[in-house]
Amino acid sequence: MAVHRTYEEINDKIKSGKVVVVTAEEMVAMGMRDGAAAAAKKVDVVTTATFGPMCSSGAFLNFGHTEPPIRMTRVWLNDVPAYAGIAAVDCYIGATEESETQGQRYGGAHVLQDLVEGRTIRLRATSPGTDCYPRRSHETEVTLAGLRDATLFNPRNCYQNYGAAANTTDSVLYTYMGTLLPRLGNVSYSTSGQLSPMLKDPTYRTIGIGTRVYLGGGEGYVAWEGTQHNPEQERSAGGVPVGGAGTLALIGDLKTMKPGYLRAATFHRYGVTLYVAIGVAIPVLDEDVAAAAARPETELYTAILDYGVPSRNRPALRRVSYAELRSGSVDIDGTEVRTSPVSSYRMARRIAAELKDMIAAGGFSLTRPVRPLRGAATGTGDVPGLAAAAAPGGAI
Amino acid sequence: MARTRVVLNFPAALVEKPVTYHLVRDFGLVVNILRAEIRPGEAGTLLFELDDRDGQGDLQGGLEFVAREGVRIQTISGRITIDQDACLDCGACIGPCFAGALALDPTSYKLLFDDTRCVLCKVCVEACPAGAIKVAF
Ligand code: SF4
Ligand code: SF4
């Protein structure tokens, strides 16, 4: 009998402690052992996760009003400029913004990490002064607990898939995909593969606007499609994109987030970025959702792109499965090339396991999207915008 | 088999002395130069791997000889240090390590470091986005 579950049924099971929840890694193993249809019967929820560098991240902070009040027009946090072109004591601190005194060693991502880890941040603000906001400068120390509001808002996170990177030139390249040795010395890849949220719900059946997520160790939501969301990307079997495709804009209360789940990083000669912990629970509504969540890394593909070509359209050297990338080496034109990730699979696993435990303990219920993502499949077989799903192994 | 890696710091006057020659001929050691920073007329630094060929060579004697010549010796086991608290186990250091000294554990996905393969090229120090790898000289 075909499996059909509703969000309400699943949430009732979560409430009563009867829910069957597994991580995507466990789901893949179940699928291999018993088949996806059998797994669909058993499992109510599959947890997915990722912990990778996500430059398009930052937070809106509100400092509360001073006496006399100031309308901040320029703001620095530990010498990192924040965008202050919004209301009087609001600002947006972006992850990649660099310190005016320390350069790439300290940036917006470090400010966010320091806030979450309870450290004190030096706030500096200036203003031309107005009749209603006479004060012209303000300097003080702030902590996350003392902030009026702190809302993480990441315009683009959780890339559905991402090209792997290599370098065919004769010199080392320092990129946001890490250090790329010359003459195809190594291949670097991102995404958590079989644990990756958007690869496990490739046609956005369950992830949509309003989906509750486990963000930075706290509570967050999908706010919108992320910037550069591109559902039209070429897809292999099951509608799985073979390169960068969907993205998510995520929002959450920074005050609920935990140390270790937002980590600042500096890619040498590239700059500052933020590693963001994201966990997403996929409700197993039917067998199609289960089959997608159980899809193994041998069937998840990306392209190895040549970062030696300084173009927006970097040429693809070959298509590769995540199973090959994870094995430690891939063959490119007869040469074994070492592979390594830039996102932490160990952390992704931990996040997926924690989300699983929260759901099993009744502490995290699932939300039906308020609106599907652009390009989402409806679950009735048609896949708007995704109709031309190519067979695996086709042209990149 | 005794194998050890040492950093030799040469004072300026000794830079042109045939130290390796003596280590090979008089002490029967296999000498592998992993890195050399020697500017004639100035002080120099050599990173050596010395192998006593299963006890046939005299490792201790060789090192004593070098010390007698006025060269300062530092053994370098544990030269690369990885700060476990800072490390994200992301793997960004692994690809650039052409010596194959870094890898992810296939079950725990934690970073593994095999210092017997490390040639102290320091590429990983820059490649680590978390600043978790340090070299102590
Ligand atoms: S110093 Fe060089 S050889 Fe040693 S671990 Fe780092 S990259 Fe590998
Ligand atoms: S690059 Fe740095 S943080 Fe990443 S695994 Fe290597 S040592 Fe750890």
Side-chain angles (χ1 to χ4, degrees):
Chain A
M1 216 186 69
V3 173
H4 281 289
R5 287 188 188 85
T6 64
Y7 284 88
E8 291 70 26
E9 285 163 7
I10 294 171
N11 280 333
D12 283 345
K13 282 184 158 183
I14 293 175
K15 229 182 278 160
S16 63
K18 291 202 187 92
V19 70
V20 179
V21 50
V22 299
T23 68
E25 217 177 0
E26 292 162 344
M27 187 68 173
V28 170
M30 286 178 84
M32 306 253 237
R33 202 178 50 231
D34 314 323
K41 282 207 181 72
K42 244 184 258 163
V43 176
D44 301 306
V45 181
V46 178
T47 62
T48 63
T50 185
F51 186 69
M54 303 193 203
C55 292
S56 198
S57 300
F60 287 102
L61 308 179
N62 180 291
F63 302 111
H65 285 285
T66 57
E67 182 57 45
I70 180 171
R71 177 176 165 266
M72 300 174 176
T73 51
R74 300 191 69 194
V75 167
W76 293 263
L77 294 160
N78 282 354
D79 294 337
V80 181
Y83 180 73
I86 35 183
V89 290
D90 284 321
C91 77
Y92 183 79
I93 177 77
T96 67
E97 190 72 47
E98 288 168 16
S99 155
E100 288 182 351
T101 50
Q102 295 186 67
Q104 296 195 344
R105 285 194 303 143
Y106 193 92
H110 297 84
V111 172
L112 294 169
Q113 178 178 340
D114 280 347
L115 281 172
V116 169
E117 292 180 0
R119 279 188 279 275
T120 302
I121 303 286
R122 197 160 51 90
L123 161 69
R124 224 160 22 97
T126 59
S127 167
T130 70
D131 289 348
C132 46
Y133 292 103
R135 194 169 180 144
R136 300 168 80 121
S137 78
H138 180 53
E139 205 165 329
T140 186
E141 308 218 300
V142 297
T143 60
L144 184 58
L147 288 176
R148 173 76 175 70
D149 309 276
T151 310
L152 191 77
F153 181 76
N154 303 344
R156 181 173 67 257
N157 276 179
C158 222
Y159 239 118
Q160 188 167 20
N161 198 350
Y162 211 78
N167 168 19
T168 59
T169 70
D170 287 330
S171 40
V172 181
L173 293 178
Y174 299 96
T175 74
Y176 59 83
M177 290 293 285
T179 302
L180 301 174
L181 299 179
R183 295 176 291 281
L184 287 177
N186 65 305
V187 168
S188 170
Y189 64 99
S190 203
T191 96
S192 52
Q194 62 185 354
L195 274 176
S196 184
M198 301 270 276
L199 281 174
K200 295 328 289 281
D201 180 14
T203 59
Y204 328 128
R205 284 284 311 283
T206 71
I207 303 174
I209 293 166
T211 297
R212 177 181 292 125
V213 297
Y214 181 40
L215 178 62
E219 189 187 44
Y221 290 86
V222 175
W224 205 250
E225 288 95 2
T227 50
Q228 298 178 24
H229 176 73
N230 174 28
E232 285 83 27
Q233 172 66 260
E234 187 194 339
R235 290 171 187 254
S236 58
V240 188
V242 294
T247 66
L248 301 175
L250 298 180
I251 191 163
D253 185 349
L254 196 66
K255 294 191 180 204
T256 66
M257 296 182 194
K258 294 199 296 257
Y261 292 75
L262 294 179
R263 293 282 293 264
T266 300
F267 279 95
H268 186 63
R269 293 211 223 157
Y270 165 76
V272 176
T273 188
L274 185 69
Y275 275 71
V276 182
I278 299 167
V280 181
I282 296 174
V284 181
L285 302 177
D286 56 35
E287 282 170 11
D288 287 347
V289 172
R295 189 166 285 114
E297 289 190 337
T298 48
E299 294 171 26
L300 303 173
Y301 299 91
T302 190
I304 300 175
L305 305 178
D306 184 1
Y307 275 56
V309 178
S311 158
R312 211 153 54 103
N313 294 312
R314 298 190 172 97
L317 298 166
R318 61 162 288 198
R319 184 179 284 187
V320 66
S321 75
Y322 278 97
E324 288 173 274
L325 288 171
R326 183 129 10 243
S327 76
S329 69
V330 295
D331 179 293
I332 302 179
D333 292 332
T335 315
E336 281 288 290
V337 183
R338 197 171 43 256
T339 60
S340 62
V342 291
S343 78
S344 174
Y345 195 75
R346 180 185 65 82
M347 270 299 285
R349 228 188 211 173
R350 181 167 134 194
I351 298 157
E354 287 176 1
L355 181 54
K356 171 184 156 174
D357 291 347
M358 281 191 284
I359 292 169
F364 190 102
S365 61
L366 306 193
T367 45
R368 181 201 305 277
V370 179
R371 196 207 81 189
L373 297 178
R374 250 187 297 123
T378 58
T380 53
D382 64 318
V383 185
L386 307 177
I396 294 162
Chain B
M1 185 183 70
R3 231 204 249 179
T4 185
R5 261 168 299 153
V6 291
V7 176
L8 304 185
N9 293 299
F10 289 73
L14 289 179
V15 163
E16 269 132 86
K17 275 218 154 202
V19 172
T20 23
Y21 167 76
H22 287 291
L23 288 174
V24 175
R25 199 198 59 178
D26 303 344
F27 300 94
L29 299 172
V30 175
V31 178
N32 207 347
I33 302 177
L34 301 174
R35 212 173 72 225
E37 282 166 30
I38 296 201
R39 296 158 302 279
E42 298 168 43
T45 311
L46 270 182
L47 173 62
F48 272 7
E49 184 170 76
L50 300 174
D51 185 340
D52 71 355
R53 298 182 297 135
D54 291 324
Q56 292 180 52
D58 179 5
L59 192 60
Q60 194 56 34
L63 290 174
E64 283 166 11
F65 155 75
V66 176
R68 272 199 308 277
E69 292 291 304
V71 174
R72 200 158 55 82
I73 304 174
Q74 291 168 264
T75 44
I76 58 133
S77 50
R79 288 268 124 185
I80 288 278
T81 58
I82 300 169
D83 178 344
Q84 295 301 323
D85 292 332
C87 177
L88 311 167
D89 297 304
C90 66
C93 53
I94 296 168
C97 175
F98 54 83
L102 295 161
L104 287 179
D105 182 285
T107 46
S108 70
Y109 288 92
K110 278 191 74 68
L111 182 70
L112 300 175
F113 172 54
D114 176 358
D115 77 11
T116 66
R117 303 183 78 157
C118 175
V119 299
L120 271 184
C121 69
K122 301 190 205 168
V123 168
C124 59
V125 177
E126 290 178 344
C128 171
I133 308 183
K134 297 264 176 337
V135 189
F137 251 101

